[in-house]
Amino acid sequence: NMNKKAIMWVGIGGLVACVVFGVAFLVLGGTFVNWVMQEPENITVDVLAPITVSKSEDFILEVLITNTASKEQEINSIDIDTSYLDGLAVINTTPKYTETFANNMLGQSFQSYYFTYAVPANETTIVKFHMTALKSGDYSGEIAICINSGSNCTEHYLRTLVE
């Protein structure tokens, strides 16, 4: 009889542990990326995207990167959630990206645009994404601007309505 109780408590203990870890994973799943990622120092970013565009309209998404450091810093990549790109396409960028490919990290899919472009000390660089609206809908997602390395990123929220 004692063994049955012990087995029952071990079973409940295991279940509780699974639930606790499961909840911790759900809660921390989103912040896990933030443990890995670090905010870039001496960098401020503004993202300007139109709230509404018409289908097949070309528009510009602007990323203003200000370097407040006393030395130049390099734009490593700008990553855009594929959920934002579902109905919008990047035609090209100014300055031009060196390469682009799809990435997937912790269930989040995004298109990474790599640059080897320096932002001079105490200056602002504007990266322009020349885009076109492919299909009607409400598109949103994160844009991450990574400076000096792929883990030094600041995130902003994007949302554009295509009519």
Side-chain angles (χ1 to χ4, degrees):
N1 198 14
M2 189 65 193
N3 282 349
K4 277 188 181 169
K5 266 192 175 161
I7 290 167
M8 190 179 85
W9 281 113
V10 168
I12 290 173
L15 183 66
V16 168
C18 285
V19 169
V20 168
F21 283 118
V23 169
F25 182 76
L26 287 174
V27 171
L28 300 174
T31 57
F32 180 76
V33 178
N34 296 341
W35 290 344
V36 178
M37 281 195 194
Q38 209 175 339
E39 283 280 323
E41 286 183 24
N42 302 315
I43 288 283
T44 56
V45 172
D46 284 304
V47 178
L48 307 173
I51 295 163
T52 309
V53 293
S54 298
K55 189 179 166 205
S56 72
E57 183 184 337
D58 292 344
F59 66 95
I60 294 175
L61 164 69
E62 287 186 320
V63 180
L64 287 74
I65 303 166
T66 303
N67 179 8
T68 57
S70 55
K71 61 180 181 11
E72 71 175 33
Q73 298 197 67
E74 192 174 273
I75 302 168
N76 173 278
S77 71
I78 297 177
D79 308 327
I80 303 174
D81 268 359
T82 50
S83 59
Y84 183 73
L85 297 174
D86 279 345
L88 309 164
V90 175
I91 301 161
N92 60 38
T93 63
T94 314
K96 290 224 176 302
Y97 58 84
T98 53
E99 60 178 326
T100 181
F101 51 85
N103 271 315
N104 198 311
M105 188 169 140
L106 297 162
Q108 195 175 10
S109 299
F110 48 92
Q111 189 72 27
S112 293
Y113 297 88
Y114 290 89
F115 297 85
T116 46
Y117 195 85
V119 181
N122 299 306
E123 283 193 28
T124 298
T125 293
I126 301 173
V127 178
K128 293 182 178 182
F129 282 80
H130 303 272
M131 303 187 68
T132 190
L134 298 176
K135 56 185 192 220
S136 301
D138 190 347
Y139 304 101
S140 63
E142 296 287 329
I143 181 170
I145 297 87
C146 302
I147 306 296
N148 301 324
S149 84
S151 60
N152 238 13
C153 309
T154 178
E155 290 191 345
H156 290 257
Y157 181 74
L158 287 174
R159 184 175 176 201
T160 300
L161 192 68
V162 180
E163 294 181 329

